[in-house]
Amino acid sequence: MDGALRRRAAPLLSRDANPSNLGDYEPGDVAFIVVAGAMVSFMIPGLAFLYSGLARRKSALSLIWAVSASNAVVIFQWFFWGYSLAFSSSATNGYIGNLRNFGLRKVGGDPSPGSPLIPELLYAFYQMEFACVTIGILMGGLAERGRVFPAMLFSFAWLTLVYCPLACWAWSTNGWGFTWGVLDYAGGGPVEIGSGVAGLAYSWVLGRRQEKELLNFRPHNVSMVGLGTFILWFGWLGFNGGSAFGANLRAITAVWNSMMAAAMAGMVWCLLDWRIERKWTMVGFCSGTIAGLVAATPASGYIPVWAAMVMGIVVGAVCNYATKLKFFLRIDDALDLFAEHAIGGIVGLLFNAFFATADVIALDGVNTSARGGWLDRNWKQLYIQFAYVCATCAYTFVVTALIAKAIDCVPGLRLRATETAEALGMDEVEIGEFANDYIEVRRDFSDWTPPPAHSSAHQNGLTKTSSSPADSEKHFAAGDRHGRPETSVYDSPPPRRPPSIGNGEGNGNGELDGPHGVKGDRGGLGSIPEKPLVEDASSRRAD
């Protein structure tokens, strides 16, 4: 994304810096960016699986749908006017582009505004995938209570009024950040701060989930969380490596820095969680890994590998503690978009001020006259980076909140689902399908475990007598992504009911075994006996 430096250094190219058609470009560079763009596109299902696994199972498919559908919205918007608003070279105001390239007009085989190494048509495709990933991250703000159709309209408006200006600031030829010397390699501002701060603003406008939905919240499928994380990690190598715009040493350095930052941040996050829980949580490792990749996004093409290791350690710790900010702010940022993406992006941008160096930048063979940060005695880079962070955060939050509130006020476009819909789950109300087919058998925590008795009560054919306050409910609120084991709702385990033939338990596939259900019958459920009480209360499942 280092477009300004590339343009200033273009005469240093050993070959023609202004090719007139596709045949004049280095085929290896073109092929590399095509593959890198495809890798970035593969991050979309990675985000979908990650978000789905982190949510309750009754709203798991709605997040997959939102990420997938928003991807289609971005593709159209980018063709329609998004690319022109972000990168049209004839715009001179420094804040947003004009409509010179409306409908991808005049976008062909000429050198791109970001790099003379690749044609503009390929550059437009590659940048479109960045926009798709950004809006996909933002869709995490819908978690478990946001309606999907209004969110698609919001996506189009947000991309136009927020993402395109942020991209113009940092990467367009005449953007104010571009001309001022901001160091943002692959999107610390437009992608990470844009999605993270916007996710916080969207969650603020939506409001908190119902309190009963916050009780006993845990990710419904940690395997999908792991799968999504590693798909994202793979795609991020194209995200950061391809931002060198050629198959060169700078791209390889960016890939190395991404790997190092992700590995160190994942380990640090796990260690911090183990300090509290004495458990090596998978969700914690995945969260730390993503935080490291986020920090590498603006910095991986500027800093040496040893600095990326330091950055991974720092961002793993900072983002871990930042997950508590939403409790202080009283904003239900269910998937920690702000803590992971905004804070991680800020850390990466500030690391550029200290550790960016011309030696790394020059590895692409183009930017041989560039300057870095404090390692190059460029002391003013710190306040440039800090001012850029403040501007992107403030603009993103305010404009995102205004867009969301404006759409929410339109009749029929209310952003939030009703309380009844939230209780039923977004999959049933919004999508009409389920990510897991056993959702209809056991939907809520209360379906799995009967409520505790404070006095003599008949439960599942048993009489439980209690007069002790130890029998009161004890729940954990949502948002603790540190893998806290779900302890019993009871302080002491209730007695086991004697086993019976055919207890009617679901087998995990929406099928019933025994005389209370016909195996394979997913039609009308009829009467389903309660799940028997078990001694090991910690093994109870919850949404």
Side-chain angles (χ1 to χ4, degrees), residues 191-212:
V191 178
E192 306 302 351
I193 292 178
S195 61
V197 174
L200 186 72
Y202 195 89
S203 299
W204 178 58
V205 173
L206 276 183
R208 290 169 57 82
R209 287 166 288 178
Q210 298 178 60
E211 293 302 317
K212 64 181 179 180

Side-chain angles (χ1 to χ4, degrees), residues 192-533:
E192 306 302 351
I193 292 178
S195 61
V197 174
L200 186 72
Y202 195 89
S203 299
W204 178 58
V205 173
L206 276 183
R208 290 169 57 82
R209 287 166 288 178
Q210 298 178 60
E211 293 302 317
K212 64 181 179 180
E213 296 295 325
L214 297 176
L215 300 177
N216 296 283
F217 179 88
R218 288 165 60 183
H220 96 278
N221 192 326
V222 179
S223 295
M224 287 185 67
V225 174
L227 175 64
T229 298
F230 282 96
I231 291 176
L232 284 172
W233 196 338
F234 172 79
W236 231 301
L237 301 183
F239 200 99
N240 291 344
S243 294
F245 297 119
N248 50 56
L249 282 175
R250 191 181 185 192
I252 298 172
T253 301
V255 167
W256 256 110
N257 286 340
S258 302
M259 298 294 285
M260 182 63 73
M264 299 307 298
M267 288 190 288
V268 168
W269 194 300
C270 263
L271 287 170
L272 289 174
D273 284 0
W274 183 88
R275 182 185 103 260
I276 299 172
E277 304 294 342
R278 296 299 188 266
K279 295 289 189 300
W280 302 103
T281 68
M282 187 63 193
V283 173
F285 176 79
C286 292
S287 299
T289 297
I290 292 172
L293 290 167
V294 167
T297 298
S300 57
Y302 290 117
I303 65 177
V305 178
W306 64 264
M309 181 175 67
V310 177
M311 182 177 68
I313 295 171
V314 172
V315 78
V318 171
C319 289
N320 181 287
Y321 287 109
T323 59
K324 304 304 179 185
L325 286 174
K326 63 185 178 184
F327 299 114
F328 175 76
L329 298 172
R330 298 291 296 171
I331 297 177
D332 186 13
D333 183 9
L335 301 184
D336 288 323
L337 302 185
F338 180 75
E340 296 255 15
H341 294 276
I343 299 299
I346 291 171
V347 170
L349 286 167
L350 295 181
F351 256 73
N352 284 340
F354 297 106
F355 298 106
T357 174
D359 293 339
V360 172
I361 301 171
L363 291 175
D364 59 9
V366 176
N367 296 286
T368 56
S369 61
R371 293 188 67 187
W374 284 18
L375 289 183
D376 291 343
R377 300 181 182 276
N378 184 19
W379 314 116
K380 68 178 182 179
Q381 195 63 44
L382 180 58
Y383 76 74
I384 291 176
Q385 297 295 109
F386 181 76
Y388 174 68
V389 165
C390 293
T392 53
C393 288
Y395 179 82
T396 300
F397 189 89
V398 172
V399 179
T400 300
L402 290 175
I403 295 171
K405 194 62 180 176
I407 292 177
D408 189 57
C409 291
V410 176
L413 294 181
R414 181 177 172 83
L415 296 179
R416 177 160 182 167
T418 64
E419 291 188 3
T420 301
E422 186 179 344
L424 288 173
M426 294 298 100
D427 289 0
E428 178 171 331
V429 176
E430 292 280 299
I431 310 300
E433 300 166 325
F434 302 99
N436 307 286
D437 63 2
Y438 57 83
I439 178 66
E440 294 180 270
V441 180
R442 295 284 189 251
R443 181 184 304 279
D444 296 316
F445 174 77
S446 58
D447 291 336
W448 285 99
T449 307
H454 298 276
S455 60
S456 297
H458 189 74
Q459 297 181 5
N460 296 329
L462 292 178
T463 300
K464 177 180 172 71
T465 303
S466 173
S467 59
S468 169
D471 288 317
S472 61
E473 290 189 74
K474 291 186 178 180
H475 298 295
F476 294 109
D480 190 345
R481 294 175 59 188
H482 295 197
R484 182 190 296 273
E486 184 190 1
T487 57
S488 172
V489 174
Y490 310 107
D491 280 345
S492 59
R496 180 194 294 272
R497 186 174 64 180
S500 60
I501 299 175
N503 57 23
E505 291 183 42
N507 63 7
N509 295 312
E511 302 169 353
L512 298 176
D513 297 328
H516 299 290
V518 180
K519 187 169 184 177
D521 182 9
R522 294 185 177 86
L525 297 178
S527 175
I528 302 175
E530 291 290 342
K531 184 177 176 69
L533 302 178

Side-chain angles (χ1 to χ4, degrees), residues 166-181:
L166 294 182
C168 178
W169 297 358
W171 299 325
S172 183
T173 306
N174 297 307
W176 68 263
F178 174 99
T179 56
W180 198 25

